[in-house]
C-alpha cells in the first residue's frame, strides 16, 4: 500500500513538471515569421460572449483560418501583451469600454490599422484618432422607466434625474461598475469635474435605495415598484427580453427605454473595440477577421444575438433596438473615458455613491 | 542544526515569505493612490469587514452552540440523521450561496413569484427587500455555523455530565442550565468557533464582491485592478494583516488555556423531548437544513435544468481538469511540507523548530486576497530579474505556491495530531537500531502515518477544489478552475451556466463533510 | 444550629406551588393508604435497564424496594456494578425506570411514563467527583440553587452555609484552587443550600486521603444531622457505611 503511494507521489511530481512546461509553450511557440501566414489568428478578448464565439466559428468556416481565443480580464490581457512585447502571441485585442481600449493604446501594445476596407466599415467617431483600435459595437446607457406609471414626456436629460421630483425614485447599480465610471467620466470630459460631482450628488440624493445588484436587478426593482426609473445599459434590457426565464422576459416587457440628452450632448454610449497588436504574427489574418467582424452582414448578426448597436452604418439594427428608436449619441474622444476614470472613482467615493 | 531542521526552516521561510514581503511593504513607498485609499476607503472598509465578521460570528456562535447543546442533551426526533446533516451546509461555499439566494429572493425568484402569482399580492407588496449586507450575514451564518457546532460539540463531549446534572438538581431548568452552566463552561470553544467564523468572513472575497459590499478583501482587489496600484494594494493588505495578527494572537490566547476535563467523562443521558418542545427542537434543526442545503440544491438543479433545456450547457472538462490537477498537486505539496515540518518539530524539538508549524497554522487566518497580493508582489520581480521568471509567474506554479502558503495549516493540523498520538518511540527505536533520521522516519513512522497522509491529502484537496480568491487573482491567463468559472458566470449574470460547476463544487464539499463525520457518531 | 433548623422549616420548597404535583400527592396517599410519616421515600418494584444496552441485557434492578423515614440517613452498599449509582440517578430523576415507582414525601416522582424532571424534584445530590461548576467561585457555586430567593435571603443563606462547612475566607476561590476535602465541603454546601427534601451522596469518601477520611465521615454525618435532612449515601465500603449511616441497605 505504501509503496503504491510512493509511485503516486512520483507521478505527481511528473505532472507538476508537465504542467509548468505547458505554461512555457506560450512564449516559445511561433519562432520564425513565415512569408505565408499559417491559417491561424490569436485573439485576446475580454468579451466573454457566446455570440462572439459563434462569429469566430463562422469566420473559420468561411476562410479556413482558425481563431484561437484567450479570454481574460482586460487589464490582465493588456498587462500580459505589454510584458510579452515583440514575442507576444496575440494578434488581436478585444474589449468592452473605450477607456480601456485607450489604455491599451497608451501602453503601446497596438499598431495603427490602415486597411481601407476596415476603415470604411467603421465611422470615424467610433475609432481611435490614430486608428489604434476600431469599434465593433456600442451600447447606450439609457434611462429605463416603468411603462405603466411614467410617461416618456416626464424624462429629458441625465441631469433632470437629479431634480427633487425624482426623490426616492432613481435606481442605479454601484459605482464599482465600469459603466457608471465611464458615464461619470464622460460628464467630467463634457462639463468639468464640478458639474459631474454635483450631478452624482443629485443622483445620490434621489436614490430609491442604496445601490445594489446588477443592471438587470435595477429593472426588476422597477417592476417591483421600488423605484420608477433606472440608469442601465441597453444590452441588459435586451438580455431580459430574450432571457431563458419567462419571468425575466415579463420584466423586460414592462420597461420603457428613453434616450436622454437628445437636445444636448446626446446619450452616453460605450464602445467595444478591437485593436491590432504590435508585433502580431498573423497581421493579415487578423485584418481579415477585423474586416469580417465589421462587415455589415456580421454586424447585423452581432446586433441580433447580443443586443448591441452595430458600428457599421450599413448594418441594420436588430428589431428590438430599432423599436426603441434611433438616437443621438455623445460624441467625445473615448480616450477621455480612460483619462477621467480615476477621477470618476474618487467623485463617487466623495458623494457617497457606494 | 541538522539538515532536516534546515530544510524545515527553509520551507517555513519560503511559505511565510509573502507575509514577510507584505509587512516589509509598510516601509516601501505607498503607491500614488494610498492617501486616497487611506482617507476614503480604509476606515469604511475596515468598519464593514469588522461588523460583518462580528455579527456573523456572534450569530453563528449562537446557532452552532444551541444545536451542539441540543445534540448533546436531548433526544431530538431523528437525532442520528441530524448529526451528519447539520454539517452539510459547509459543503456550499458562500460565494455560490450568494448568487443562489440573490436569485431565489429576487423579483423573478421563487419566493416573490409565489407571492405574486399564487397568493396574488401586487408586486409592491410581494417585493422582499433584504439589504445585501443583511443577506450576506444571513448566508455567512447559515453556511459557516457548522464550524462552531463541530468545535462546541467536541468540547461538550469532553465535559463532565455530572456538572450539568448538578445544575438540574439544584433547580435550574433547561434555559438556566444552558445560559448559566453550559455556555460559561464552553465559552472558550464557543469563542474559538466564533473566531473561526470571523476569520472566514474576513477572508471571504467572492460573496462580498458579488454583493458589492466594500470590505478590506474586496478593497485590496479594487486597489489592484481598479486603480492599478499594486503598492497601494500591498499597503492595504499589510494593514489588514497587522490587524489579523492581533486577532490570531487573541485566538491563541483563548484556545491555549483549557479548563481541565474529567478523565473519564460520562456522556450526558439525553432527555427525551415530547410535544411542543420536540416540535420546536425539530424546527431548529430543520431550518438550517432547508436553507443551507435544500434550497441551494433545488435552485441550482433548477438552473441546471434550464440550461439543459436551453441547450446552453458548456463543457466543463478544461476547468474540471485544471481544478483536479491543481488541487491534487496542491494537496500533495501541503501534505509533504506539513509532514516535514511537524516531524522536525517532534523529533528535533527546539523553540525554533516548534515555531515552524505554528507559523503555518497562523497562515490559515490570512485572507486569500492578502495572500494573493503578497505572492504577486513577491514573485513579480522574478520576471524582470531572471529569464526563467515567467516559468513561475505565468504558469499555475504561482497559484500552486499561493495554495501552499495559505492552506498548509490544513495539513499541519492533521499531521501534527497524528504525530502526537504516535509520539517518538518508533522513530527513536529505529534510530537506536542504527537508522539515519530519514530512514527512521520512512520505515519506522511513515507507514503508521498513512491514514493521516490520506486524511491530510483529502482535506487539503477539498479545500483547494472550492478555493476562489487565490485562483481568481493568481491564475494564469485563460486558465479557469471550477470555482472561477462559477463565479465569473454568476458575475456575468449567467446563473444557469454557473449551476454545473457549482454543483460539482458542492458535491466535492459534501464528500468532505462525509469524510469529516465518518465514525464520529 | 437552631437557626438552621428554623430556616429549613420555613423554606420554600421548589415543588410547592405546583398544583399538578399536589394533586398527585393526594392520589398517592389515597391509593396506598400508607403513613407519610413512616415512608418518606418509597421505592417500589423498581426495574431498570440502560436503554443503550438493548433488550437482551439483564436489568440493573428487577423489582427493587426501599423505604426511608424522614430524617434518616441510609447507606446503600454493594459490590461495584450492582447499580448503586444508578439507584441514586433514578431517584434524582436523571434516569427513567422501566417499571415501578419512586415517591418522596407523598409525591410520585417517577413512574415509567411520568418522570418529574430533576430540577423540580427537590432532591439534592453530591456527585462522586463533586461536579462543581468550574467557572464559578465557591460563593457562586453554593448560591447556584438559590436563584429564586431574594438577594438578601440568598446572601444570608450562602454565608450561613459557608460557615457551616467551615470555608470562611475561601468564598472567592475557584474549585480548582481548593483541596479535595474543601471541594467536597463546597459540594455538600451547594447541595444543602436550597434545603432539598432528600440528599443523595454518591461515594462521598472514595476520593479522599485515608488519613482525612475518618474525620470527614464524622463531619458529613454531623452536617447532615445538623440540618436534619434525609439522606441516602452510596458507598462501596461497609465500614464507612456503618459509621455514617443510621441504617445500611445492601444491594
Amino acid at each position: 500500500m505504501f509503496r503504491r503511494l510512493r509511485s503516486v507521489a512520483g507521478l505527481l511530481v511528473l505532472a507538476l513538471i508537465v504542467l509548468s512546461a505547458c505554461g512555457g509553450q506560450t512564449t516559445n511557440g511561433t519562432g520564425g515569421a513565415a512569408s505565408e501566414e499559417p491559417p491561424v489568428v490569436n485573439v485576446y478578448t475580454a468579451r466573454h460572449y457566446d455570440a462572439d464565439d459563434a462569429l469566430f466559428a463562422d469566420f473559420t468556416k468561411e476562410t479556413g483560418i482558425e481563431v484561437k481565443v484567450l479570454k481574460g480580464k482586460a487589464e490582465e490581457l493588456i498587462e500580459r501583451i505589454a510584458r510579452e512585447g515583440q514575442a507576444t502571441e496575440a494578434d488581436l485585442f478585444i474589449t468592452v469600454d473605450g477607456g480601456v481600449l485607450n489604455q491599451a493604446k497608451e501602453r503601446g501594445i497596438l499598431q495603427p490599422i490602415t486597411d481601407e476596407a476596415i476603415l470604411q466599415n467603421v465611422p470615424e467617431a467610433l475609432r481611435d484618432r490614430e486608428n489604434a483600435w476600431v469599434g465593433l459595437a456600442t451600447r447606450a446607457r439609457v434611462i429605463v422607466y416603468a411603462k405603466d406609471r411614467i410617461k416618456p414626456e416626464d424624462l429629458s436629460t441625465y441631469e433632470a434625474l437629479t431634480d427633487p421630483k425624482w426623490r426616492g425614485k432613481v435606481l442605479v447599480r454601484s459605482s464599482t461598475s465600469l459603466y457608471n465610471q465611464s458615464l461619470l467620466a464622460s460628464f467630467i470630459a463634457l462639463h468639468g469635474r464640478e458639474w459631474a460631482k454635483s450631478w452624482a450628488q443629485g443622483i445620490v440624493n434621489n436614490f430609491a435605495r442604496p445601490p445594489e445588484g446588477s443592471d438587470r436587478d435595477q429593472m426588476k426593482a422597477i417592476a417591483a415598484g421600488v423605484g420608477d426609473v433606472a440608469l442601465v445599459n441597453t444590452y441588459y434590457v435586451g438580455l431580459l427580453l430574450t432571457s431563458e426565464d419567462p419571468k425575466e422576459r415579463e420584466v423586460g416587457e414592462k420597461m420603457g427605454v428613453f434616450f436622454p440628452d437628445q437636445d444636448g450632448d446626446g446619450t452616453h454610449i460605450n464602445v467595444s473595440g478591437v485593436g491590432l497588436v504590435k508585433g502580431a504574427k498573423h497581421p493579415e489574418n487578423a485584418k481579415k477577421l477585423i474586416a469580417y467582424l465589421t462587415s455589415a452582414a456580421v454586424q447585423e448578426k452581432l446586433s441580433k444575438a447580443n443586443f448591441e448597436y452595430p458600428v457599421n452604418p450599413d448594418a441594420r439594427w436588430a428589431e428590438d433596438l430599432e423599436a426603441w428608436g434611433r438616437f443621438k449619441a455623445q460624441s467625445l474622444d473615448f480616450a477621455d473615458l480612460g483619462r477621467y476614470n480615476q477621477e470618476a472613482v474618487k467623485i463617487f467615493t466623495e458623494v457617497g455613491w457606494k | 542544526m541538522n539538515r532536516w531542521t534546515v530544510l524545515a526552516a527553509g520551507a517555513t521561510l519560503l511559505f511565510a515569505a509573502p507575509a514577510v514581503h507584505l509587512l516589509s511593504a509598510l516601509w516601501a513607498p505607498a503607491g500614488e493612490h494610498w492617501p486616497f485609499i487611506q482617507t476614503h476607503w480604509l476606515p469604511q472598509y475596515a468598519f464593514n469587514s469588522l461588523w460583518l465578521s462580528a455579527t456573523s460570528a456572534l450569530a453563528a456562535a449562537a446557532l452552532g452552540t444551541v444545536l451542539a447543546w441540543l445534540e448533546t442533551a436531548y433526544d431530538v426526533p431523528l437525532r442520528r440523521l441530524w448529526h451528519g446533516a447539520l454539517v452539510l451546509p459547509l459543503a456550499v461555499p458562500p460565494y455560490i450561496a450568494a448568487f443562489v439566494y440573490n436569485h431565489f429572493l429576487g423579483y423573478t425568484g421563487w419566493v416573490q413569484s409565489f407571492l405574486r402569482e399564487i397568493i396574488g399580492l401586487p408586486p409592491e407588496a410581494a417585493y422582499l427587500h433584504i439589504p445585501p449586507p443583511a443577506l450576506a450575514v444571513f448566508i455567512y451564518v447559515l453556511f459557516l455555523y457548522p464550524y462552531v457546532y463541530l468545535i462546541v460539540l467536541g468540547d461538550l463531549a469532553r465535559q463532565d455530565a455530572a456538572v450539568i446534572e448538578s445544575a438540574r438538581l439544584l433547580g435550574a431548568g433547561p434555559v438556566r442550565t444552558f445560559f448559566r452552566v453550559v455556555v460559561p463552561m464552553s465559552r472558550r470553544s464557543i469563542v474559538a468557533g466564533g473566531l473561526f467564523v470571523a476569520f472566514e468572513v474576513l477572508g471571504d472575497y467572492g460573496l462580498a464582491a458579488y454583493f458589492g459590499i466594500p470590505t478590506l478583501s474586496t478593497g485590496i482587489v479594487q486597489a489592484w485592478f481598479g486603480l492599478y496600484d499594486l503598492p497601494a494594494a500591498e499597503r492595504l493588505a499589510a494593514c489588514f494583516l497587522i490587524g489579523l495578527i492581533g486577532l490570531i494572537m487573541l485566538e491563541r490566547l483563548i484556545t491555549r488555556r483549557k479548563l481541565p476535563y474529567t478523565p473519564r467523562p460520562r456522556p450526558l443521558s439525553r432527555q427525551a423531548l415530547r410535544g411542543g418542545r420536540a416540535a420546536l427542537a425539530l424546527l431548529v434543526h430543520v431550518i438550517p437544513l432547508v436553507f443551507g442545503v435544500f434550497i441551494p440544491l433545488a435552485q441550482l438543479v433548477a438552473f441546471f435544468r434550464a440550461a439543459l433545456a436551453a441547450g446552453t450547457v458548456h463543457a466543463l472538462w478544461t476547468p474540471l481538469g485544471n481544478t483536479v490537477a491543481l488541487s491534487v498537486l496542491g494537496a500533495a505539496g501541503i501534505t509533504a511540507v506539513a509532514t516535514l515540518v511537524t516531524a522536525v518539530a517532534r523529533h528535533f524539538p527546539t523553540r525554533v523548530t516548534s515555531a515552524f508549524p505554528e507559523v503555518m497554522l497562523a497562515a490559515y487566518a490570512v485572507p486569500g486576497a492578502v495572500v494573493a497580493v503578497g505572492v504577486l508582489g513577491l514573485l513579480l520581480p522574478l520576471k524582470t530579474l531572471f529569464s526563467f521568471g515567467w516559468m513561475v509567474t505565468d504558469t499555475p506554479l504561482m497559484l500552486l505556491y499561493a495554495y501552499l502558503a495559505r492552506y498548509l495549516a490544513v495539513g499541519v493540523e492533521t499531521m501534527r495530531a497524528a504525530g502526537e498520538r504516535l509520539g517518538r518511540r518508533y522513530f527513536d527505536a529505529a534510530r537506536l537500531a542504527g537508522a539515519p533520521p530519514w530512514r527512521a522516519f520512512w520505515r519506522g513512522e511513515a507507514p503508521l502515518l498513512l491514514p493521516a497522509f490520506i486524511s491530510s491529502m483529502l482535506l487539503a484537496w477539498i479545500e483547494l477544489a472550492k478555493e476562489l480568491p487565490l485562483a481568481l487573482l493568481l491564475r494564469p491567463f485563460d486558465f479557469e478552475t471550477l470555482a472561477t468559472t462559477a463565479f465569473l458566470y454568476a458575475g456575468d449574470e449567467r446563473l444557469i451556466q454557473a449551476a454545473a460547476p457549482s454543483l460539482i463544487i458542492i458535491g466535492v464539499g459534501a464528500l468532505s463533510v462525509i469524510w469529516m463525520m465518518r465514525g464520529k457518531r | 444550629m437552631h437557626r438552621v433548623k428554623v430556616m429549613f422549616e420555613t423554606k420554600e420548597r421548589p415543588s410547592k406551588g405546583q398544583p399538578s404535583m399536589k394533586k398527585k400527592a393526594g392520589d398517592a396517599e389515597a391509593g396506598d393508604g400508607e403513613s407519610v410519616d413512616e415512608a418518606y421515600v418509597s421505592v417500589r418494584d423498581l426495574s431498570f435497564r440502560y436503554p443503550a444496552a438493548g433488550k437482551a441485557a439483564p436489568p440493573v434492578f428487577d423489582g427493587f424496594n426501599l423505604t426511608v423515614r424522614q430524617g434518616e440517613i441510609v447507606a446503600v452498599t454493594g459490590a461495584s456494578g450492582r447499580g448503586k449509582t444508578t439507584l441514586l440517578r433514578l431517584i434524582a430523576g436523571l434516569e427513567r425506570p422501566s417499571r415501578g415507582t419512586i415517591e418522596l414525601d407523598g409525591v410520585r416522582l417517577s413512574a415509567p411514563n411520568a418522570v418529574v424532571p430533576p430540577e423540580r424534584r427537590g432532591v439534592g445530590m453530591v456527585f462522586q467527583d463533586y461536579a462543581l461548576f468550574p467557572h464559578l467561585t465557591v460563593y457562586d457555586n453554593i448560591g447556584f440553587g438559590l436563584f429564586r430567593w431574594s438577594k438578601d435571603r440568598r446572601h444570608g443563606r450562602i454565608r450561613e452555609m459557608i460557615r457551616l462547612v467551615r470555608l470562611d475566607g475561601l468564598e472567592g476561590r475557584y474549585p480548582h484552587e481548593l483541596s479535595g476535602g474543601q471541594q467536597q465541603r463546597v459540594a455538600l454546601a451547594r447541595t444543602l443550600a436550597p434545603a432539598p427534601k432528600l440528599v443523595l451522596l454518591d461515594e462521598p469518601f472514595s476520593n479522599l486521603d485515608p488519613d482525612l477520611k475518618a474525620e470527614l465521615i464524622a463531619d458529613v454525618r454531623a452536617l447532615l444531622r445538623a440540618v436534619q435532612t434525609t439522606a441516602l449515601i452510596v458507598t462501596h465500603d461497609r465500614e464507612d457505611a456503618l459509621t455514617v449511616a443510621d441504617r445500611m441497605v445492601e444491594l
Side-chain angles (χ1 to χ4, degrees), chain A residues 69-342:
Chain A
V69 180
L70 189 141
K71 293 175 182 175
K73 278 191 182 167
E75 304 84 43
E76 297 173 342
L77 295 173
I78 295 173
E79 193 65 31
R80 173 159 188 182
I81 296 169
R83 271 188 312 210
E84 289 170 354
Q86 285 298 315
T88 188
E89 271 213 280
D91 296 311
L92 290 178
F93 169 68
I94 298 180
T95 190
V96 191
D97 193 78
V100 177
L101 283 162
N102 192 58
Q103 275 169 21
K105 177 192 173 187
E106 290 188 345
R107 284 296 291 271
I109 64 165
L110 302 179
Q111 53 174 306
I113 296 166
T114 50
D115 204 294
E116 263 313 305
I118 297 173
L119 298 183
Q120 268 172 14
N121 281 345
V122 186
E124 249 185 273
L126 296 171
R127 316 195 290 247
D128 174 61
R129 247 183 253 163
E130 277 101 35
N131 295 329
W133 54 265
V134 302
L136 279 179
T138 64
R139 305 159 174 191
R141 197 144 184 83
V142 296
I143 301 173
V144 296
Y145 57 93
K147 270 193 217 164
D148 57 349
R149 48 186 190 273
I150 300 296
K151 289 192 286 288
E153 298 88 81
D154 299 336
L155 300 165
S156 58
T157 61
Y158 289 112
E159 192 182 7
L161 287 186
T162 62
D163 188 284
K165 81 167 177 175
W166 295 109
R167 185 135 303 169
K169 304 285 186 207
V170 179
L171 289 155
V172 65
R173 70 194 292 182
S174 88
S175 65
T176 50
S177 152
L178 187 61
Y179 303 128
N180 282 342
Q181 292 170 7
S182 285
L183 178 67
L184 192 60
S186 78
F187 292 156
I188 299 174
L190 291 168
H191 312 293
R193 190 184 198 281
E194 276 319 299
W195 192 97
K197 185 174 174 182
S198 75
W199 177 81
Q201 185 66 62
I203 295 292
V204 170
N205 293 343
N206 287 348
F207 276 167
R209 63 173 182 198
E212 65 173 73
S214 60
D215 275 9
R216 283 197 219 205
D217 290 332
Q218 309 312 317
M219 290 183 270
K220 289 176 187 171
I222 291 183
V226 176
D228 288 339
V229 290
L231 282 169
V232 301
N233 214 305
T234 45
Y235 166 70
Y236 291 103
V237 186
L239 283 190
L240 271 188
L241 288 169
T242 55
S243 169
E244 293 100 340
D245 183 349
K247 295 195 182 79
E248 292 205 324
R249 292 201 291 273
E250 227 171 81
V251 173
E253 300 294 341
K254 290 182 178 167
M255 297 300 121
V257 173
F258 183 86
F259 293 92
D261 284 31
Q262 290 305 295
D263 300 328
D265 295 305
T267 301
H268 173 73
I269 58 165
N270 213 302
V271 68
S272 288
V274 55
L276 182 59
V277 174
K278 203 178 267 181
K281 303 293 182 298
H282 315 97
E284 294 314 314
N285 295 345
K287 285 181 212 162
K288 267 185 212 163
L289 181 55
I290 301 178
Y292 175 81
L293 291 174
T294 53
S295 69
V298 175
Q299 286 270 297
E300 281 171 22
K301 274 193 215 166
L302 186 63
S303 173
K304 212 167 166 170
N306 224 22
F307 278 91
E308 294 178 290
Y309 292 101
V311 293
N312 189 324
D314 299 333
R316 275 169 311 174
W317 292 8
E319 273 171 41
D320 293 278
L321 297 182
E322 202 65 75
W324 297 333
R326 298 269 163 172
F327 65 96
K328 175 183 169 189
Q330 265 179 359
S331 64
L332 82 163
D333 188 352
F334 287 104
D336 284 342
L337 301 182
R339 195 169 300 137
Y340 295 119
N341 176 274
Q342 288 175 11

Side-chain angles (χ1 to χ4, degrees), chain B residues 85-392:
Chain B
L86 280 176
V87 189
L88 269 180
L90 271 191
V92 184
Y95 61 87
I96 291 178
F99 74 79
V100 165
Y101 269 99
N102 197 44
H103 180 85
F104 178 74
L105 297 170
Y107 182 78
T108 52
W110 289 340
V111 176
Q112 291 194 39
S113 300
F114 173 80
L115 293 177
R116 280 196 310 270
E117 290 159 21
I118 312 292
I119 308 281
L121 291 179
E124 291 79 7
Y127 188 71
L128 301 170
H129 182 251
I130 302 174
L135 191 52
V137 171
F138 169 77
I139 289 174
Y140 286 137
V141 172
L142 200 54
F143 295 92
L144 297 175
Y145 82 82
Y147 288 120
V148 183
Y149 169 76
L150 284 174
I151 294 173
V152 174
L153 196 63
D155 189 23
L156 286 174
R158 274 170 293 170
Q159 287 178 1
D160 190 0
V163 177
I164 309 294
E165 289 166 353
S166 294
R168 286 200 197 139
L169 286 167
L170 288 164
V175 175
R176 185 175 155 84
T177 306
F178 178 71
F179 284 108
R180 303 305 292 271
V181 181
V182 177
V183 170
M185 278 178 64
S186 317
R187 62 183 187 273
R188 287 193 174 83
S189 59
I190 295 172
V191 171
L195 276 174
F196 200 98
V197 171
F199 283 128
E200 288 283 324
V201 174
L202 286 173
D204 170 72
Y205 170 76
L207 182 148
Y210 184 78
F211 282 146
I213 303 171
T215 63
L216 288 172
S217 278
T218 61
I220 290 166
V221 178
Q222 184 72 10
W224 181 0
F225 286 122
L227 298 172
Y228 301 105
D229 194 341
L230 185 57
E234 284 182 321
R235 178 66 69 100
L236 189 58
C239 292
F240 196 3
L241 189 59
I242 289 173
L244 282 168
I245 290 173
L247 211 54
I248 292 167
M249 278 157 61
L250 178 75
E251 192 229 359
R252 285 290 140 88
L253 210 68
I254 289 166
T255 49
R256 207 31 73 72
R257 290 187 329 203
K258 288 196 172 99
L259 285 176
Y261 294 116
T262 40
R264 303 167 283 106
R266 184 173 47 75
L268 206 56
S269 62
R270 293 193 174 82
Q271 283 187 297
L273 288 170
R274 280 180 212 178
R277 288 187 176 189
L280 188 69
L282 209 56
L283 199 67
V284 173
H285 283 71
V286 168
I287 284 177
L289 283 182
V290 166
F291 286 98
V293 180
F294 181 74
I295 289 176
L297 274 186
Q299 181 70 72
L300 285 171
V301 168
F303 282 150
F304 184 64
R305 291 183 52 180
L308 280 179
T312 50
V313 180
H314 295 262
L316 286 170
W317 296 116
T318 320
L320 184 64
N322 289 341
T323 302
V324 170
L326 261 188
S327 54
V328 169
L329 281 173
I334 284 169
T335 305
V337 176
T339 306
L340 169 74
V341 171
T342 52
V344 166
R346 187 153 41 96
H347 294 309
F348 310 114
T350 65
R351 289 179 70 168
V352 178
T353 53
S354 40
F356 297 157
E358 294 296 330
V359 170
M360 293 181 175
L361 282 175
Y364 190 67
V366 182
V370 175
V371 174
V373 176
V375 165
L376 200 85
L378 182 74
L379 296 186
L380 264 192
L382 282 186
K383 191 142 69 171
T384 44
L385 290 176
F386 306 104
S387 58
F388 61 84
W390 64 267
M391 286 182 65
V392 178

